[in-house]
């Protein structure tokens, strides 16, 4: 604790001198290794950091991490455990194993590109590409991509029943808070899922993009009291007028964001105080 307190004091002293104008994404993006601290998710999913990050093995018994050059295959231990559970479930439905996209940087925090969230090590992107092998080289994992399963707000030929079953398996995991997918994917699930087995559908939430991967968000871990939990999901399966809105002109052509701080320009001052210690460790 003495070291952590000293690290925070050092960073705060530097902040006073510099005015802390440096974007936090540059500070956290420069860290290639995790903070040697007990695992903690600190702050909000889009405004926080990760202490004690754990690396997802690049190749596991039932998965492969993709785009290794990004160094974003780090997460809270609960994220690593989720990937292992999902890999097991995937094999029972006929998938060789999932391709895992971004989780988090070694110390979480804002990223230089690609995401506003993924800052706590509790967000996991799962590619829609159905693997045929789990021995891809590093070079192959940089080159291949994941197909978009939606065209013009309609499911296309790349969608399979296996995608449906994998999303169901992920949503039924007790550690999952919600899963973000393209609205057309949510609609497809609503139309195809039997009426007597829909309790998991509420976790599947429509969001812009998310047509080549689905985004799993885990619950705050019990041992992370400073993690800001997501609001409770509304009751029901979400296959109602709230889903219909996503196909309206208003949703498909959103207005420009209000003026303010540019997206991704958070500074260390915008993050929980403990993130200074994570960064300086």
């Amino acid at each position: 604790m003495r070291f952590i307190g000293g690290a925070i004091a050092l960073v705060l002293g530097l902040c006073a001198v510099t005015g802390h104008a440096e974007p936090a994404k540059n500070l956290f993006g420069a860290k290639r290794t995790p903070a040697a601290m007990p695992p903690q998710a600190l702050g909000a999913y889009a405004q926080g950091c990760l202490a004690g990050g754990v690396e997802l093995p690049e190749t596991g018994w039932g998965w492969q991490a993709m785009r290794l050059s990004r160094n974003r295959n780090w997460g809270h231990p609960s994220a690593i455990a989720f990937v292992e559970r999902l890999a097991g479930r995937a094999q029972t439905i006929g998938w060789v194993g999932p391709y895992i996209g971004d989780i988090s940087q070694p110390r979480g925090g804002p990223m230089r590109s690609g995401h506003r969230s993924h800052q706590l090590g509790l967000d996991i992107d799962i590619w829609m590409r159905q693997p045929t092998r789990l021995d891809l080289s590093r070079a192959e994992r940089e080159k291949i991509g994941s197909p978009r399963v939606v065209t013009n707000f309609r499911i296309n030929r790349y969608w399979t029943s296996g995608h449906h079953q994998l999303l169901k398996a992920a949503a039924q995991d007790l550690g999952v808070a919600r899963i973000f997918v393209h609205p057309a994917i949510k609609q497809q699930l609503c139309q195809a899922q039997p009426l007597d087995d829909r309790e998991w559908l509420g976790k599947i939430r429509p969001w812009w993009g998310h047509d080549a991967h689905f985004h799993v968000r885990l619950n705050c871990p019990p041992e992370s009291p400073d993690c800001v939990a997501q609001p409770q999901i509304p009751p029901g399966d979400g296959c109602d007028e709230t889903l219909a809105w996503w196909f309206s002109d208003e949703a498909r052509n959103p207005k420009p964001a209000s003026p303010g701080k540019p997206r991704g320009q958070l500074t260390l001052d915008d993050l929980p105080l403990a993130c200074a210690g994570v960064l300086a460790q």
Side-chain angles (χ1 to χ4, degrees), residues 62-189:
W63 71 85
Q64 282 200 289
M66 310 301 283
R67 300 290 191 268
L68 298 174
S69 63
R70 295 180 178 180
N71 197 33
R72 295 177 179 177
N73 56 316
W74 297 82
H76 186 277
S78 61
I80 309 306
F82 167 78
V83 171
E84 294 174 347
R85 293 194 301 271
L86 185 63
R89 294 290 300 275
Q91 292 184 354
T92 67
I93 64 173
W95 281 57
V96 174
Y99 287 155
I100 308 300
D102 289 349
I103 304 177
S104 183
Q105 299 174 134
R107 305 189 192 197
M111 295 182 179
R112 287 169 171 162
S113 64
H115 302 283
R116 187 173 183 179
S117 59
H118 289 258
Q119 296 191 29
L120 302 184
L122 298 174
D123 293 296
I124 306 111
D125 285 345
I126 313 293
W127 281 21
M128 292 291 188
R129 187 184 187 96
Q130 186 167 359
T132 56
R133 44 188 275 247
L134 293 177
D135 60 353
L136 297 174
S137 67
R138 291 182 66 93
E140 287 176 308
R141 284 184 257 188
E142 295 294 333
K143 183 177 180 180
I144 68 170
S146 184
R148 301 181 186 276
V149 299
V150 176
T151 303
N152 295 326
F153 269 67
R154 292 179 180 274
I155 293 296
N156 62 31
R157 64 186 180 89
Y158 292 109
W159 177 263
T160 69
S161 61
H163 290 97
H164 185 125
Q165 294 304 315
L166 187 65
L167 277 160
K168 178 181 178 181
Q172 289 180 321
D173 190 288
L174 296 180
V176 172
R178 62 197 68 206
I179 297 173
F180 301 106
V181 299
H182 189 282
I185 295 174
K186 171 75 175 186
Q187 182 184 65
Q188 170 68 21
L189 296 173

